[in-house]
Amino acid sequence: MTTDAGELSLTVDELAARAGVTVRTVRFYGSKGLLPPPVIGPRRVGRYGAGHLARLALIEELQRQGMTLAAIERYLGQLPSDLSAYDLAIHRAVVASWAPDSVETLSRAELDRRAGRVLADEELERLAAAGVLIPGDASDTDGADGGADDGFRVDTGLLRLGLELLDVPLSQGTILAAREVLMEHSRAAARELARLFRGEVAERDTRDVRDLSAHIHPLVVQALLTTFQRSLREELSELLSGEGPSGG
């Protein structure tokens, strides 16, 4: 599933499984020009890479937001054709931020289907520890322990991210610590931004405040993502070059 250079190389079946869609869906998107054609390898087998997987995830996210196929085509048509899988993931993060909080109860079979593979018990434990899902019936208050047969309460907004983190070669402790850092600083940023905006809306009508909030929300999210992306890139570049953290 990877080349000697470490690049992702998937058949159409593997791509569909990783993305949690059907092969028919992948071929349909390809026929519409929403997915670039695969690289034809030995024995005339098409191979798909990380860019295909990231673009497919973006398309699925746009669909979850209720966008029509024509609207998705227009959206993707405005993006540069040479965007990397990393850049596509940033776009998907912005799109996902528009969605309201959504929690669903999923069976083990449905959870496996959305993951594109059968999840091991250890992987379910990692998803639970990360706050992506809660095993058993979350409404059960009799003190009994819930189990997989009761289904899973799943934060669908975090599910795709949680599944991708399963493939990241970092310990669970590091991922959980990173989550705490992100939660702490994002809350602090949100608190300070709310304080700044409060003075602007204090004398406005309630409807005007709601309209302003709806307009500002995606702009602020995109600004935060862009700023964080650049800062993280700089920090990682210093780490990889051996220069150490800035100011150290």
Side-chain angles (χ1 to χ4, degrees):
M1 296 179 63
T2 57
T3 65
D4 291 340
E7 299 175 350
L8 199 63
S9 180
L10 307 171
T11 65
V12 66
D13 298 277
E14 291 167 342
L15 175 68
R18 288 283 290 268
V21 300
T22 64
V23 171
R24 182 178 179 182
T25 296
V26 173
R27 297 196 188 283
F28 174 73
Y29 290 154
S31 69
K32 292 293 184 179
L34 301 180
L35 281 178
V39 175
I40 304 301
R43 301 181 183 177
R44 304 292 298 171
V45 175
R47 310 297 298 189
Y48 297 83
H52 293 92
L53 185 61
R55 185 172 288 266
L56 187 54
L58 175 57
I59 294 170
E60 290 294 298
E61 191 62 57
L62 291 169
Q63 277 204 323
R64 280 192 285 271
Q65 300 301 320
M67 291 182 67
T68 64
L69 186 62
I72 293 175
E73 289 185 71
R74 289 194 297 271
Y75 181 95
L76 295 179
Q78 295 173 355
L79 300 180
S81 59
D82 59 347
L83 282 183
S84 67
Y86 176 84
D87 293 323
L88 288 168
I90 294 296
H91 275 275
R92 181 166 62 85
V94 173
V95 172
S97 72
W98 303 339
D101 293 339
S102 177
V103 176
E104 298 181 33
T105 299
L106 304 179
S107 66
R108 176 68 178 266
E110 175 61 16
L111 188 58
D112 287 342
R113 188 191 71 79
R114 295 196 187 188
R117 67 180 191 273
V118 177
L119 295 171
D121 290 341
E122 180 184 357
E123 292 178 310
L124 294 176
E125 292 174 2
R126 293 188 66 182
L127 291 174
V132 176
L133 59 81
I134 301 175
D137 185 358
S139 64
D140 184 5
T141 58
D142 62 4
D145 293 332
D149 292 340
D150 299 318
F152 300 85
R153 294 281 290 168
V154 179
D155 185 330
T156 54
L158 290 176
L159 180 58
R160 179 57 57 186
L161 172 62
L163 292 172
E164 291 176 358
L165 283 175
L166 293 177
D167 297 326
V168 175
L170 293 174
S171 69
Q172 182 170 323
T174 297
I175 291 175
L176 293 180
R179 178 175 181 266
E180 289 300 316
V181 170
L182 290 172
M183 292 293 291
E184 177 185 352
H185 290 282
S186 62
R187 286 195 185 104
R191 190 178 304 115
E192 288 301 310
L193 289 171
R195 183 181 62 81
L196 291 173
F197 295 143
R198 190 175 295 119
E200 293 289 331
V201 303
E203 304 299 327
R204 300 196 185 196
D205 181 80
T206 302
R207 181 179 298 177
D208 292 337
V209 174
R210 289 175 179 171
D211 290 342
L212 181 62
S213 176
H215 184 69
I216 286 178
H217 182 206
L219 297 178
V220 170
V221 169
Q222 188 163 4
L224 286 171
L225 279 170
T226 301
T227 304
F228 179 74
Q229 176 189 7
R230 290 173 180 170
S231 298
L232 183 60
R233 182 185 292 128
E234 291 172 0
E235 292 294 327
L236 291 178
S237 294
E238 292 177 356
L239 174 65
L240 294 175
S241 65
E243 296 177 5
S246 56

